[in-house]
Amino acid sequence: MNLKLLGEVFVTLLVIVDPPGMVPVFLALTGTMDGRARMKAGTQAVLLALGVIVGFAVAGQTLLDYLHVELPALQGAGGLLLVLVALQLLTGKTDESSGDQGGTSNVALVPIGTPLLAGPGAIVATMLFVQRADGADEYLVIGIGILLVMLTVWLVLRFSGGIVKLLRPAGIEVLTRIAGLLLAAIAVQLIADAIDAFVQLYVASS
């Protein structure tokens, strides 16, 4: 098993999804629920996010071929999207919905499942990993990485009440800022790789 690729997939998606940063939003949206209903909402949100991310991972290549989009363009677009997400984490201006809570399923699916968990950053990053994969073994490693990230998110949401008591708001704030910094670095690397690939394509065609 390619442990390096597994670690890269796990760390990248974990930073993008940002489980510690999700805890306050999750608790705010499920604050009126009892423990069982909150657990059910977390499970539904994670399952939806997993389905969305896997769906894009499987159909991503077909979609790119249909739209005639090259990998460098996807890398550049993904980098720009990740920059936006990183800025939200660094500034604390995440999209929090405090409106109607029409029920456990509604809250779990939107906005927790998507776009908070399965947002554009996670989708684009997953598609990029699939584009880079070489062979069934690496596809399997990517799948395992996605499952591990979703399992981690589920565990964090499952024990979110205890996590908040342990870290306190200041601790979650610090972890969110660190995640934003790491995500910004990943975004810059994606953009740099895209520019380098475009330059190589231009040189090769001239």
Side-chain angles (χ1 to χ4, degrees), residues 91-111:
T91 59
K93 297 179 179 179
T94 53
D95 295 329
E96 299 185 14
S97 175
S98 57
D100 296 333
Q101 298 182 18
T104 302
S105 297
N106 291 337
V107 173
L109 301 181
V110 179

mmCIF file of all heavy atoms in Angstrom, residues 91-111:
data_model
loop_
_atom_site.group_PDB
_atom_site.id
_atom_site.type_symbol
_atom_site.label_atom_id
_atom_site.label_comp_id
_atom_site.label_asym_id
_atom_site.label_seq_id
_atom_site.Cartn_x
_atom_site.Cartn_y
_atom_site.Cartn_z
ATOM 1 N N THR A 91 -9.834 33.988 8.737
ATOM 2 C CA THR A 91 -10.535 35.182 9.212
ATOM 3 C C THR A 91 -11.738 34.850 10.076
ATOM 4 O O THR A 91 -12.327 35.737 10.692
ATOM 5 C CB THR A 91 -11.011 36.041 8.024
ATOM 6 O OG1 THR A 91 -11.892 35.272 7.197
ATOM 7 C CG2 THR A 91 -9.821 36.510 7.189
ATOM 8 N N GLY A 92 -12.109 33.558 10.108
ATOM 9 C CA GLY A 92 -13.260 33.165 10.910
ATOM 10 C C GLY A 92 -14.589 33.449 10.254
ATOM 11 O O GLY A 92 -15.636 33.333 10.877
ATOM 12 N N LYS A 93 -14.575 33.810 8.963
ATOM 13 C CA LYS A 93 -15.817 34.155 8.263
ATOM 14 C C LYS A 93 -16.344 32.958 7.498
ATOM 15 O O LYS A 93 -16.452 32.965 6.274
ATOM 16 C CB LYS A 93 -15.580 35.324 7.301
ATOM 17 C CG LYS A 93 -15.173 36.603 8.009
ATOM 18 C CD LYS A 93 -14.930 37.734 7.019
ATOM 19 C CE LYS A 93 -14.546 39.015 7.746
ATOM 20 N NZ LYS A 93 -14.282 40.120 6.796
ATOM 21 N N THR A 94 -16.655 31.896 8.223
ATOM 22 C CA THR A 94 -17.232 30.716 7.586
ATOM 23 C C THR A 94 -18.724 30.895 7.437
ATOM 24 O O THR A 94 -19.347 31.671 8.155
ATOM 25 C CB THR A 94 -16.954 29.454 8.425
ATOM 26 O OG1 THR A 94 -17.399 29.686 9.759
ATOM 27 C CG2 THR A 94 -15.473 29.126 8.429
ATOM 28 N N ASP A 95 -19.278 30.168 6.482
ATOM 29 C CA ASP A 95 -20.707 30.273 6.223
ATOM 30 C C ASP A 95 -21.475 29.475 7.250
ATOM 31 O O ASP A 95 -21.500 28.248 7.199
ATOM 32 C CB ASP A 95 -21.039 29.747 4.813
ATOM 33 C CG ASP A 95 -20.420 30.607 3.741
ATOM 34 O OD1 ASP A 95 -20.273 31.818 3.958
ATOM 35 O OD2 ASP A 95 -20.090 30.038 2.685
ATOM 36 N N GLU A 96 -22.098 30.150 8.167
ATOM 37 C CA GLU A 96 -22.884 29.485 9.184
ATOM 38 C C GLU A 96 -24.339 29.820 8.983
ATOM 39 O O GLU A 96 -24.707 30.984 8.887
ATOM 40 C CB GLU A 96 -22.440 29.921 10.589
ATOM 41 C CG GLU A 96 -20.989 29.577 10.872
ATOM 42 C CD GLU A 96 -20.611 29.912 12.298
ATOM 43 O OE1 GLU A 96 -21.555 30.141 13.086
ATOM 44 O OE2 GLU A 96 -19.429 29.964 12.606
ATOM 45 N N SER A 97 -25.141 28.793 8.911
ATOM 46 C CA SER A 97 -26.565 28.996 8.726
ATOM 47 C C SER A 97 -27.267 28.890 10.061
ATOM 48 O O SER A 97 -27.229 27.859 10.710
ATOM 49 C CB SER A 97 -27.127 27.945 7.757
ATOM 50 O OG SER A 97 -28.521 28.052 7.666
ATOM 51 N N SER A 98 -27.935 29.946 10.476
ATOM 52 C CA SER A 98 -28.616 29.939 11.764
ATOM 53 C C SER A 98 -30.106 30.121 11.581
ATOM 54 O O SER A 98 -30.799 30.562 12.477
ATOM 55 C CB SER A 98 -28.048 31.058 12.662
ATOM 56 O OG SER A 98 -28.184 32.314 12.021
ATOM 57 N N GLY A 99 -30.581 29.769 10.407
ATOM 58 C CA GLY A 99 -31.992 29.960 10.109
ATOM 59 C C GLY A 99 -32.822 28.815 10.618
ATOM 60 O O GLY A 99 -32.598 28.257 11.683
ATOM 61 N N ASP A 100 -33.853 28.458 9.831
ATOM 62 C CA ASP A 100 -34.781 27.426 10.257
ATOM 63 C C ASP A 100 -34.086 26.087 10.374
ATOM 64 O O ASP A 100 -33.271 25.704 9.549
ATOM 65 C CB ASP A 100 -35.936 27.309 9.243
ATOM 66 C CG ASP A 100 -36.750 28.585 9.189
ATOM 67 O OD1 ASP A 100 -36.785 29.307 10.211
ATOM 68 O OD2 ASP A 100 -37.345 28.851 8.133
ATOM 69 N N GLN A 101 -34.476 25.345 11.393
ATOM 70 C CA GLN A 101 -33.987 23.984 11.568
ATOM 71 C C GLN A 101 -35.169 23.066 11.353
ATOM 72 O O GLN A 101 -35.827 22.626 12.284
ATOM 73 C CB GLN A 101 -33.390 23.793 12.963
ATOM 74 C CG GLN A 101 -32.191 24.704 13.211
ATOM 75 C CD GLN A 101 -31.585 24.470 14.583
ATOM 76 O OE1 GLN A 101 -31.818 23.450 15.213
ATOM 77 N NE2 GLN A 101 -30.828 25.407 15.049
ATOM 78 N N GLY A 102 -35.460 22.795 10.098
ATOM 79 C CA GLY A 102 -36.684 22.092 9.751
ATOM 80 C C GLY A 102 -36.701 20.640 10.136
ATOM 81 O O GLY A 102 -37.604 19.934 9.789
ATOM 82 N N GLY A 103 -35.705 20.148 10.841
ATOM 83 C CA GLY A 103 -35.700 18.740 11.233
ATOM 84 C C GLY A 103 -34.297 18.197 11.148
ATOM 85 O O GLY A 103 -33.419 18.785 10.540
ATOM 86 N N THR A 104 -34.111 17.035 11.771
ATOM 87 C CA THR A 104 -32.778 16.449 11.809
ATOM 88 C C THR A 104 -32.224 16.216 10.412
ATOM 89 O O THR A 104 -31.090 16.561 10.104
ATOM 90 C CB THR A 104 -32.824 15.113 12.579
ATOM 91 O OG1 THR A 104 -33.320 15.359 13.894
ATOM 92 C CG2 THR A 104 -31.460 14.495 12.665
ATOM 93 N N SER A 105 -33.057 15.630 9.531
ATOM 94 C CA SER A 105 -32.578 15.308 8.194
ATOM 95 C C SER A 105 -32.191 16.560 7.435
ATOM 96 O O SER A 105 -31.152 16.607 6.782
ATOM 97 C CB SER A 105 -33.658 14.533 7.433
ATOM 98 O OG SER A 105 -33.926 13.297 8.080
ATOM 99 N N ASN A 106 -33.023 17.597 7.481
ATOM 100 C CA ASN A 106 -32.734 18.815 6.747
ATOM 101 C C ASN A 106 -31.436 19.457 7.213
ATOM 102 O O ASN A 106 -30.605 19.877 6.418
ATOM 103 C CB ASN A 106 -33.889 19.811 6.897
ATOM 104 C CG ASN A 106 -35.142 19.353 6.180
ATOM 105 O OD1 ASN A 106 -35.062 18.556 5.246
ATOM 106 N ND2 ASN A 106 -36.290 19.819 6.624
ATOM 107 N N VAL A 107 -31.255 19.554 8.519
ATOM 108 C CA VAL A 107 -30.040 20.153 9.059
ATOM 109 C C VAL A 107 -28.826 19.308 8.720
ATOM 110 O O VAL A 107 -27.760 19.830 8.394
ATOM 111 C CB VAL A 107 -30.169 20.323 10.594
ATOM 112 C CG1 VAL A 107 -28.847 20.777 11.186
ATOM 113 C CG2 VAL A 107 -31.264 21.312 10.919
ATOM 114 N N ALA A 108 -28.968 17.992 8.778
ATOM 115 C CA ALA A 108 -27.845 17.107 8.504
ATOM 116 C C ALA A 108 -27.414 17.183 7.048
ATOM 117 O O ALA A 108 -26.221 17.181 6.742
ATOM 118 C CB ALA A 108 -28.208 15.668 8.878
ATOM 119 N N LEU A 109 -28.389 17.236 6.150
ATOM 120 C CA LEU A 109 -28.066 17.232 4.727
ATOM 121 C C LEU A 109 -27.578 18.596 4.268
ATOM 122 O O LEU A 109 -26.585 18.710 3.549
ATOM 123 C CB LEU A 109 -29.292 16.798 3.912
ATOM 124 C CG LEU A 109 -29.855 15.408 4.238
ATOM 125 C CD1 LEU A 109 -31.041 15.087 3.339
ATOM 126 C CD2 LEU A 109 -28.769 14.346 4.107
ATOM 127 N N VAL A 110 -28.297 19.645 4.636
ATOM 128 C CA VAL A 110 -27.939 21.015 4.263
ATOM 129 C C VAL A 110 -28.128 21.895 5.488
ATOM 130 O O VAL A 110 -29.224 21.910 6.056
ATOM 131 C CB VAL A 110 -28.846 21.533 3.118
ATOM 132 C CG1 VAL A 110 -28.474 22.962 2.756
ATOM 133 C CG2 VAL A 110 -28.778 20.630 1.897
ATOM 134 N N PRO A 111 -27.121 22.594 5.956
ATOM 135 C CA PRO A 111 -25.812 22.800 5.315
ATOM 136 C C PRO A 111 -24.673 21.930 5.834
ATOM 137 O O PRO A 111 -23.546 22.099 5.387
ATOM 138 C CB PRO A 111 -25.538 24.268 5.671
ATOM 139 C CG PRO A 111 -26.073 24.393 7.059
ATOM 140 C CD PRO A 111 -27.312 23.512 7.099
#
